Amino acid sequence: MKPAVIYILGTGHSGSTILQYLLAGRPNIIGLGEVRQLTDRRNWRQGLVEPCSCGAAVETCSLWGDLEPVAAELSVDWYKRVLSKVSILYPGTTHLVDSSKSTKSIHPWLKLLDEDLISGIHALYLVRDVRGWAVSDETTRKRKGRPPQPLFLSMVDWWKNQKLFLRFLKTNEKNIAFLTVSYESLIFRTDAQLSRIADFVGINGDQFNWEDGLKKAVVHDVWGNRMKNDFSTRSRLTYDDRWQYRMSASLPAILLFPIWRMNQKLRRDGGLI
Ligand SMILES: [Zn+2]
């Protein structure tokens, strides 16, 4: 059976880890994490690779263990090796989830689709409310030791990024099918959002117990955020509401009108309203 690929697009810290776990909680869907990071040999060489979310070190992980790219290997050939390893380990797989998020890293999958090695590509464009995103960006900057910046500048970054994603989705020559998914909707209207996604990617839309699924999800994610290695946080849905207590998060979002308009549009498209 040829699997289809569910490709998560969007800016970092928009909830891709929890989305991947919700998807991979279903039978026959396997989460591969941020696949693009593993195509770079330097990431293996320099020991930057973290433990896999399955609990094993990447070298001993049942999936990634022997998939280090060899010198001068074309990335499309490496993706083929990943595909065949998945089919050996998980023969009934219908869907793979790649949470690489960038527009560039969808291209190897497009080549595999051209060669008829996968049955389709479904892009999920994940968007988070600009206020929550900016406050989360501030925390990430602090944690990673990056220079701080005012929240309104992070909002401008958010806006520029969404423009790039929207342009890619509208103008790419392959006409990739995509569904906009609001992170807030995923948290607050989980059943409705998951059945919307199930329809889009063509999986059985029967009532699915996602709470159970979150505990059983099969995910081999080496590069995702810290949550992927923490069973207690990744196995339940929580909403980070810090932005609601920050005046400086709400005010500029409303004053910077193009950003506000984009935020409203994406909320609508993402199924929140
Ligand atoms: Zn693993």
Side-chain angles (χ1 to χ4, degrees):
M1 183 195 286
K2 277 182 286 186
V5 170
I6 302 173
Y7 190 89
I8 304 177
L9 272 166
T11 43
H13 49 97
S14 290
S16 61
T17 303
I18 198 67
L19 174 57
Q20 167 168 245
Y21 271 89
L22 283 166
L23 293 167
R26 285 176 173 268
N28 300 322
I29 301 188
I30 309 292
L32 301 180
E34 294 187 25
V35 179
R36 73 184 169 107
Q37 305 279 10
L38 294 166
T39 63
D40 188 341
R41 292 183 78 215
R42 283 169 306 180
N43 286 345
W44 295 68
R45 287 271 164 263
Q46 293 173 357
L48 291 176
V49 174
E50 301 170 30
C52 182
S53 58
C54 69
V58 67
E59 299 87 356
T60 53
C61 160
S62 56
L63 176 65
W64 299 117
D66 51 6
L67 283 173
E68 182 175 340
V70 293
E73 183 175 22
L74 291 174
S75 88
V76 65
D77 291 335
W78 182 80
Y79 276 78
K80 285 178 191 168
R81 286 208 283 141
V82 172
L83 207 55
S84 79
K85 187 71 185 286
V86 170
S87 70
I88 295 165
L89 276 182
Y90 307 105
T93 303
T94 57
H95 294 76
L96 303 170
V97 185
D98 179 352
S99 62
S100 290
K101 297 191 278 292
S102 80
T103 54
K104 205 172 135 212
S105 303
I106 201 169
H107 287 99
W109 294 120
L110 290 168
K111 286 192 187 136
L112 263 55
L113 184 62
D114 280 345
E115 294 186 33
D116 207 21
L117 294 171
I118 53 174
S119 64
I121 298 176
H122 311 280
L124 297 179
Y125 170 37
L126 182 62
V127 290
R128 180 169 179 180
D129 187 285
V130 64
R131 296 161 291 181
W133 190 86
V135 170
S136 172
D137 186 46
E138 183 183 61
T139 316
T140 310
R141 281 168 182 278
K142 242 181 243 162
R143 200 181 62 239
K144 296 196 172 167
R146 292 195 203 131
Q149 71 175 11
L151 288 180
F152 82 90
L153 284 181
S154 292
M155 292 180 186
V156 174
D157 288 345
W158 175 93
W159 179 70
K160 283 187 195 154
N161 278 317
Q162 310 311 325
K163 285 244 199 245
L164 290 176
F165 283 118
L166 286 168
R167 190 180 316 141
F168 171 79
L169 289 166
K170 280 181 192 143
T171 60
N172 75 88
E173 67 220 28
K174 299 280 184 181
N175 232 339
I176 301 164
F178 75 97
L179 180 75
T180 307
V181 175
S182 141
Y183 162 68
E184 286 75 18
S185 176
L186 198 62
I187 302 293
F188 296 123
R189 303 178 57 212
T190 312
D191 286 313
Q193 190 66 272
L194 287 178
S195 72
R196 191 170 163 258
I197 294 172
D199 284 347
F200 172 69
V201 303
I203 49 183
N204 188 339
D206 290 352
Q207 270 306 317
F208 166 69
N209 185 336
W210 53 262
E211 285 175 297
D212 228 27
L214 276 179
K215 296 186 177 74
K216 289 191 261 179
V218 180
V219 176
H220 292 280
D221 188 347
V222 180
W223 275 87
N225 72 15
R226 294 168 305 160
M227 174 184 163
K228 74 181 174 61
N229 290 340
D230 180 351
F231 181 79
S232 68
T233 45
R234 77 182 188 214
S235 58
R236 62 195 155 85
L237 290 188
T238 44
Y239 184 65
D240 171 4
D241 66 350
R242 281 168 303 165
W243 68 268
Q244 296 183 11
Y245 304 95
R246 294 285 298 277
M247 289 286 280
S248 53
S250 291
L251 208 56
I254 297 167
L255 293 177
L256 299 166
F257 184 67
I259 296 181
W260 186 247
R261 199 172 50 185
M262 170 87 80
N263 200 43
Q264 294 295 82
K265 172 195 154 41
L266 293 176
R267 275 159 62 89
R268 269 195 310 274
D269 293 354
L272 190 61
I273 305 170

